[in-house]
Amino acid sequence: MKKKLFYLLFLLSVCLINIQKSKAQESQGLYSNSFSLGINSDAFTGMELGYHQKSTISNIPSCYYLNLNIPLLITAKQKKLDTWEIKAGAALELAKHKRFILLSDFNLFSIKHSQILGTFLPVGFNLKLTPGYRTKNGYIGLQTKFRQVLFTFMNHSEYVNEKFHEIYDSENRLVEIEPKNGLFAFTGSSLNYGIEGMFKLSNKLNMFYEMGMVNYLSKYTGSFDAMMIGQIPFYTDIQLNYKINQK
Amino acid sequence: MKTIILTFLFCGLLASCQDVDEFNTIVPATADENPDLPSVAIHVSGHDRLVHYQTYGNMENPALFILHGSASDMRAYLPLQVFSDKYFVVLWDMRGNGLSERCTKEELAIEEMVNEIEAMKKVFSPDKRINIMGHSWSAFFTARYLARYPDHVNQAILIEPNGLKDEFMKDVGNALNLFTERYMDMMYTTKYLTAKNHEMLDYQAMAMLSSGVRNFYCDKNNIPEWPVWRVGAYALMVWESSIINNGKYNFDYTEGLDQFPNKVLIVGTECSPIGYNFQEKYHQPLFKNAEVLRIENSGHRLLTEQFDALVSGVKSYLLEYKNELQ
């Protein structure tokens, strides 16, 4: 079932990239060659650095991007850069009718996270759809973003190993078991929904923002009752894009 | 063509991955998954569930049931087998916790946890009264058991029960330090681990044991060790949400406590917000006869912080030891 879901999602994303519905002119400012610097709500405060390259995909206005995301407070407390996320993807203006637009965004991400439970290297994708409205200086829209981890490499720590110790069977013999390291499929997914938008601050500077609620797609946890395991039901992200090579 | 080949290779990679809900993969298997574990089936809330247990001492001796607290299992309490020289000590992982079978939300209701104690009594001490010791949330269940089954219990020890009534909780405070490194790591973990099953839920909750979000300790920068096999995260979530209504505490489990005829030992520590002062102020007056034992230089994890002081104080209360001294 999980594999079918993956294949369907993969096909959907391939189809989205190949849609040739948009007869829009070259975008007037939605996408640009730019560097970005942002703050997001990852572990309360994450910092994102990125580069965006304006392009077209099958005549659809788009941009490719590469982002590096670092959780600032975790890094400050650990006093080393041991946790980060890299995202590479494309944003597209799929359709446009007068001032109404349909935006899409697809990226692959890879994370490294070292923590008390061990070291984790997940790989996955984000797929976002945003119906929006173009304003004079940007746009605003309703965002739905699906995040799926495809696989995670887990290397458990001694803290986790210890949980498997001192277990005895009914004959009072020690049960010798250890947790399994390695690749695990589909370890996480979530659905974000909220608002996003962009507005022009100056000829060189745009601000992008998004905020909303997170649904962790777990039947055991509601929106607010799993904060004890770190499930914060809100997210926010603000980015400044500095245009380069713009006339 | 390239896309198809890549998709095929990717599916092959995914097919070779392990599943987190396979037994003994990220957390130890429970008694229903591992038949080698010592377990007993009990019928509670319309379901038969396997409970992982250990017993120590002579079955002919008076039974002493020892119940673990939340986000825990019986592992930290195993040293209390020291009481097995005089008592038949029975410890178990409560349903939904430790290496006992996981169960539904309805089965974890507070009254069903009380029913679980009664079910275990039917197995291990069907014809005799039990002595019972509960810690934290289990002290809460134990108090409720005393109110419902006063003639099933000889002696009872409540180690730092949570407030038994909503208005008591105003003294506990809700101060949470969410800016600890461990808690922020837990937040970040939710980017790639989702609690889709009990295995993942309990795995993520393991980090909670050292997160320091709630300050129940003498030194919040040196949180005491707490040995656990497997956290029952869903159980804790159910219990905590059951006493909250519209964001506020709304419960009262004080009824009937004054009907228990025998002396109750309530244990409180120096450093915990539900320590000695809290127990003396709010819980001691609820019983007909209760004594509060103060454990100095300790927080809520007193079993690993001041084990000897706890054992000494409990032995001063337990009749089998008092009879020996006489």
Side-chain angles (χ1 to χ4, degrees):
Chain A
M1 177 63 187
K2 288 178 186 175
K3 291 171 180 50
K4 281 182 187 172
L5 176 63
F6 157 72
Y7 191 63
L8 277 170
L9 285 168
F10 189 81
L11 281 177
L12 178 65
S13 59
V14 169
C15 289
L16 283 171
I17 289 168
N18 282 292
I19 282 175
Q20 298 196 22
K21 291 175 67 174
S22 175
K23 294 194 177 9
Q25 299 163 2
E26 281 270 313
S27 172
Q28 297 290 327
L30 264 188
Y31 304 126
S32 56
N33 297 340
S34 59
F35 290 111
S36 65
L37 171 66
I39 297 287
N40 57 55
S41 54
D42 283 355
F44 290 124
T45 307
M47 182 181 73
E48 192 164 272
L49 299 166
Y51 174 71
H52 300 241
Q53 174 74 40
K54 181 177 170 182
S55 181
T56 58
I57 300 173
S58 299
N59 292 325
I60 300 173
S62 58
C63 81
Y64 296 102
Y65 59 87
L66 180 66
N67 289 352
L68 171 66
N69 192 347
I70 300 167
L72 286 179
L73 290 181
I74 290 177
T75 302
K77 285 195 180 275
Q78 289 178 345
K79 296 185 173 61
K80 57 180 176 177
L81 182 56
D82 212 13
T83 298
W84 41 257
E85 178 182 9
I86 289 180
K87 282 190 283 193
L92 302 94
E93 185 180 318
L94 285 180
K96 182 176 175 181
H97 176 68
K98 294 183 181 176
R99 283 190 171 270
F100 294 96
I101 52 175
L102 180 64
L103 305 177
S104 174
D105 191 313
F106 177 83
N107 64 62
L108 293 173
F109 65 83
S110 174
I111 292 173
K112 178 183 183 278
H113 185 200
S114 294
Q115 48 143 317
I116 192 169
L117 298 180
T119 300
F120 300 86
L121 298 168
V123 171
F125 70 86
N126 290 300
L127 177 62
K128 185 170 71 173
L129 273 179
T130 305
Y133 181 80
R134 280 296 299 268
T135 61
K136 189 179 173 188
N137 289 316
Y139 74 92
I140 186 165
L142 296 174
Q143 176 193 96
T144 304
K145 179 161 68 178
F146 176 64
R147 181 180 177 90
Q148 176 66 55
V149 175
L150 295 170
F151 59 84
T152 298
F153 177 77
M154 292 188 183
N155 187 19
H156 304 290
S157 63
E158 185 52 38
Y159 180 82
V160 171
N161 286 344
E162 196 277 335
K163 302 293 178 282
F164 286 72
H165 296 169
E166 298 177 340
I167 296 175
Y168 291 86
D169 64 14
S170 49
E171 305 294 324
N172 215 29
R173 292 175 300 212
L174 190 64
V175 177
E176 295 193 12
I177 46 173
E178 298 284 342
K180 295 186 175 66
N181 296 322
L183 280 178
F184 292 85
F186 303 115
T187 59
S189 56
S190 63
L191 188 65
N192 290 14
Y193 45 94
I195 60 167
E196 77 171 55
M198 188 193 70
F199 63 89
K200 185 175 152 182
L201 294 173
S202 70
N203 283 339
K204 284 280 197 180
L205 211 56
N206 286 341
M207 175 182 277
F208 171 85
Y209 61 90
E210 61 180 17
M211 63 190 74
M213 298 281 293
V214 185
N215 182 334
Y216 289 94
L217 301 177
S218 166
K219 66 176 180 179
Y220 294 105
T221 61
S223 291
F224 295 93
D225 58 2
M227 290 175 68
M228 71 173 73
I229 59 166
Q231 284 189 0
I232 304 297
F234 310 106
Y235 70 97
T236 186
D237 186 353
I238 298 173
Q239 284 182 21
L240 287 174
N241 295 324
Y242 180 78
K243 297 179 193 176
I244 55 176
N245 299 333
Q246 283 291 105
K247 291 180 185 172
Chain B
M1 185 63 183
K2 274 186 188 175
T3 307
I4 292 170
I5 291 172
L6 280 172
T7 305
F8 184 76
L9 286 172
F10 211 78
C11 288
L13 174 67
L14 290 177
S16 67
C17 288
Q18 304 172 77
D19 287 326
V20 294
D21 53 0
E22 287 175 13
F23 302 158
N24 290 323
T25 300
I26 58 174
V27 288
T30 53
D32 54 309
E33 297 163 342
N34 182 358
D36 291 335
L37 292 174
S39 64
V40 63
I42 56 173
H43 187 83
V44 179
S45 187
H47 295 266
D48 289 327
R49 298 293 183 193
L50 285 175
V51 163
H52 175 230
Y53 75 96
Q54 287 283 359
T55 61
Y56 301 92
N58 190 334
M59 289 175 65
E60 300 303 315
N61 287 344
L64 174 61
F65 284 15
I66 298 175
L67 280 66
H68 63 79
S70 62
S72 181
D73 52 30
M74 64 171 167
R75 189 178 180 187
Y77 301 77
L78 294 177
L80 292 172
Q81 64 185 274
V82 296
F83 297 121
S84 63
D85 56 344
K86 298 290 181 193
Y87 291 85
F88 175 53
V89 176
V90 181
L91 300 106
W92 74 93
D93 297 336
M94 290 186 287
R95 292 167 308 126
N97 293 266
L99 304 185
S100 289
E101 190 171 350
R102 295 303 183 258
C103 46
T104 64
K105 182 179 179 180
E106 292 69 31
E107 294 172 76
L108 293 167
I110 289 173
E111 296 302 327
E112 300 301 342
M113 303 313 295
V114 177
N115 291 339
E116 175 175 326
I117 300 172
E118 180 64 10
M120 292 297 279
K121 179 187 181 299
K122 285 179 182 167
V123 174
F124 291 104
S125 187
D127 304 317
K128 293 188 284 187
R129 293 186 184 211
I130 60 172
N131 303 282
I132 183 167
M133 178 192 299
H135 180 205
S136 192
W137 262 105
S138 286
F140 193 101
F141 304 142
T142 300
R144 187 74 189 124
Y145 186 78
L146 297 181
R148 283 179 53 187
Y149 299 96
D151 53 346
H152 287 198
V153 178
N154 190 22
Q155 290 188 288
I157 302 149
L158 309 180
I159 304 176
E160 294 202 342
N162 297 336
L164 291 167
K165 191 173 179 180
D166 44 19
E167 62 190 55
F168 300 170
M169 300 304 286
K170 66 180 186 297
D171 270 10
V172 176
N174 293 321
L176 302 173
N177 182 7
L178 302 181
F179 289 91
T180 65
E181 180 185 340
R182 294 275 154 79
Y183 186 75
M184 289 192 289
D185 272 328
M186 291 173 71
M187 288 176 65
Y188 201 79
T189 304
T190 62
K191 285 170 69 82
Y192 54 88
L193 297 183
T194 299
K196 292 177 184 292
N197 46 46
H198 284 292
E199 285 76 13
M200 191 61 87
L201 191 47
D202 295 345
Y203 182 77
Q204 288 179 256
M206 259 196 262
M208 198 170 63
L209 295 171
S210 61
S211 68
V213 170
R214 290 184 183 177
N215 188 11
F216 276 53
Y217 318 106
C218 291
D219 181 359
K220 64 181 179 183
N221 296 316
N222 269 307
I223 296 173
E225 293 293 321
W226 191 255
V228 167
W229 291 307
R230 182 168 167 177
V231 174
Y234 187 59
L236 176 57
M237 286 163 51
V238 170
W239 297 337
E240 298 226 327
S241 64
S242 71
I243 59 173
I244 292 176
N245 191 10
N246 289 331
K248 291 183 182 176
Y249 287 117
N250 184 7
F251 65 98
D252 183 356
Y253 288 96
T254 58
E255 188 182 341
L257 294 177
D258 58 351
Q259 300 304 308
F260 183 69
N262 300 338
K263 184 178 175 183
V264 174
L265 180 68
I266 304 173
V267 182
T269 61
E270 179 187 350
C271 303
S272 168
I274 52 173
Y276 176 84
N277 293 329
F278 179 88
Q279 303 298 333
E280 192 181 46
K281 180 178 178 182
Y282 290 112
H283 291 159
Q284 187 180 19
L286 298 174
F287 295 92
K288 192 175 286 185
N289 184 1
E291 172 194 342
V292 184
L293 169 68
R294 182 182 176 110
I295 304 291
E296 301 283 351
N297 198 29
S298 177
H300 196 53
R301 291 182 175 175
L302 67 168
L303 274 95
T304 54
E305 293 182 83
Q306 294 294 340
F307 180 77
D308 291 340
L310 173 66
V311 168
S312 173
V314 169
K315 279 187 175 179
S316 301
Y317 163 77
L318 287 173
L319 280 174
E320 294 301 312
Y321 291 102
K322 287 175 91 165
N323 290 342
E324 184 185 66
L325 290 172
Q326 290 165 3

